[in-house]
Amino acid sequence: MNDSSWGPRQAGYWGPADRSPAQGPVPGAAPTGPAYDAHDAQRTRPMPIVPDGPAHGGNQDDDQGAARPGGPSFRDGMPQPPRQPYHAPQQRPYDTPRTQPSHGAAPQNPEPMPDAPQPAPAPAPQKKGAGRDLGAAIGVGVGLGVVIVASLFVVKAVFVGVVAVAVVVGLWELTKRLEERKGIKAPLVPLAVGGAAMVVAGYVRGAEGAWVAMALTALAVLVWRMTQPPEGYLKDVTAGVFAAFYVPFLATFVTMMLAADDGPRRVLTFLVLTVVSDTGAYAVGWRFGRHKLAPRISPGKTREGLLGAIAFAMVAGALCTQFLIEGGAWWQGLLLGLAVAISATLGDLGESMIKRDLGIKDMGTLLPGHGGIMDRLDSLLPTAPVVWLLLVIFVGSG
């Protein structure tokens, strides 16, 4: 290094220039810095001389010939504190030793990790339920059965009146739900009068009287609706004619069975087979049901339930035709039971289709545990013409 880069020599300065090359470097002296050009040396300010001091309590003359390092690697001649030897801290007995992470490894978190969320326990499987108040349903069913059987075997005309009342209430439920859910106003007055007339005509005049009463009822619906504005006329009269056929006309076949000499037994056979079919479908489907029969229409019905309905109805049909129907045979009862199970199931599905279209669960709330009258007539109405026809074929009209 040029001397000019350090400024003029001063007294007491012990630098490398005061020694000859033969003497070698001063012991303890720092190596010389890089050489500078002349013009760089003129712009370099002189560094002050730092007096030597005792190091680590030693004598000042111990290292008198060594010069303190200077130059660009030090801050403007400020003295640097001596380095203290490193002493590892002593580990106390109660300290927890920590492992230093290796190079490239993620540091360990000394804090305890929170417990991982445990999966919720699976809910216990619940036992299948009936979905209704079973006690109320049984009580209402027994009460209706007593009224029907008592009126059926005491005076036939009383039973005709029971059927007519059920038809009128069913028409009221159906037309009320159509108006509430779809805005369809089927005229109730001509439907109620014509429906009751159909039931009586079927008992008195048979099939011919039932058809005539049906035609007159449809005509009365068309005329009655003309007294109101024409908006919605077509859908209102269409719904009225449908209601006249669906409820009172199909119910007329029950009173037509009653008109025979053994009419009460035929009606009882019809009621027993329909109820047994529904009971078998419910019992077998509730216990063994796995495969859905018509999930989009009635999710609760299963194929196993349909097989149960057929088996129960066929057994009941064989017994009824053998012991209740005059001139009947057990094999005829098997066919009758099979037909009843199929027609009752289709009638139930048809009623479910109507309720799904209307967006309701039940047609009414008149019968606790059952819903409305129409919820009990759903399987009876389509089954009535099937039983009437097969009994006429097997044993005659009576």
Side-chain angles (χ1 to χ4, degrees):
M1 178 181 294
N2 297 331
D3 293 342
S4 59
S5 62
W6 293 90
R9 293 175 180 260
Q10 297 181 4
Y13 173 77
W14 301 85
D18 293 340
R19 298 178 60 91
S20 63
Q23 294 177 347
V26 178
T32 58
Y36 290 87
D37 296 336
H39 62 280
D40 292 334
Q42 295 177 0
R43 292 181 296 177
T44 304
R45 63 180 181 176
M47 299 297 294
I49 301 302
V50 180
D52 295 334
H56 308 291
N59 191 0
Q60 185 176 358
D61 297 332
D62 292 343
D63 207 290
Q64 188 175 3
R68 294 290 182 180
S73 60
F74 293 87
R75 295 179 177 273
D76 298 338
M78 294 295 296
Q80 299 296 325
R83 293 184 178 181
Q84 299 294 334
Y86 174 78
H87 298 283
Q90 297 181 357
Q91 184 176 353
R92 291 172 290 186
Y94 52 86
D95 286 343
T96 302
R98 298 182 181 179
T99 305
Q100 296 294 333
S102 60
H103 180 69
Q108 298 180 357
N109 189 0
E111 298 180 358
M113 296 296 293
D115 296 336
Q118 299 295 331
Q126 297 181 356
K127 187 178 180 180
K128 294 182 180 178
R132 296 181 183 272
D133 189 349
L134 190 58
I138 294 176
V140 171
V142 171
L144 289 176
V146 170
V147 172
I148 292 174
V149 172
S151 62
L152 184 62
F153 287 95
V154 174
V155 180
K156 290 184 178 181
V158 176
F159 181 75
V160 173
V162 171
V163 175
V165 171
V167 164
V168 172
V169 175
L171 286 170
W172 173 76
E173 290 180 348
L174 180 58
T175 56
K176 191 70 173 178
R177 298 300 171 264
L178 288 174
E179 183 178 0
E180 290 176 353
R181 309 299 298 183
K182 296 293 185 178
I184 300 175
K185 300 179 180 179
L188 179 60
V189 174
L191 285 174
V193 175
M198 263 187 272
V199 172
V200 176
Y203 175 71
V204 175
R205 302 293 295 180
E208 181 181 354
W211 279 111
V212 172
M214 173 65 195
L216 293 177
T217 303
L219 181 60
V221 169
L222 296 176
V223 175
W224 189 277
R225 182 58 181 79
M226 290 180 183
T227 60
Q228 300 177 7
E231 289 78 16
Y233 177 83
L234 182 60
K235 66 178 182 179
D236 291 346
V237 297
T238 302
V241 174
F242 164 74
F245 175 83
Y246 181 51
V247 183
F249 181 76
L250 294 181
T252 301
F253 289 91
V254 179
T255 58
M256 289 167 59
M257 282 188 284
L258 183 64
D261 296 337
D262 59 345
R265 294 184 179 183
R266 295 194 182 195
V267 174
L268 182 62
T269 299
F270 154 70
L271 295 175
V272 168
L273 292 184
T274 306
V275 173
V276 168
S277 173
D278 290 344
T279 304
Y282 170 76
V284 176
W286 178 79
R287 182 64 180 86
F288 303 103
R290 295 295 183 272
H291 304 86
K292 301 297 183 181
L293 178 63
R296 292 188 299 177
I297 301 176
S298 182
K301 290 181 173 51
T302 61
R303 300 175 187 177
E304 293 81 2
L306 176 60
L307 295 178
I310 294 174
F312 277 56
M314 291 181 70
V315 173
L319 295 175
C320 288
T321 55
Q322 183 69 31
F323 298 104
L324 293 178
I325 305 300
E326 296 180 4
W330 64 268
W331 63 268
Q332 296 172 342
L334 294 179
L335 298 178
L336 184 62
L338 175 62
V340 167
I342 295 176
S343 62
T345 302
L346 292 176
D348 200 353
L349 291 175
E351 179 83 2
S352 299
M353 197 76 169
I354 295 174
K355 291 188 288 188
R356 284 197 171 274
D357 186 26
L358 298 178
I360 58 177
K361 178 178 176 58
D362 296 321
M363 281 291 188
T365 58
L366 186 61
L367 303 177
H370 293 269
I373 290 292
M374 287 300 299
D375 296 299
R376 293 299 89 200
L377 297 180
D378 53 359
S379 56
L380 291 170
L381 291 175
T383 305
V386 173
V387 174
W388 173 82
L389 179 61
L390 289 178
L391 288 179
V392 169
I393 294 174
F394 292 153
V395 299
S397 58

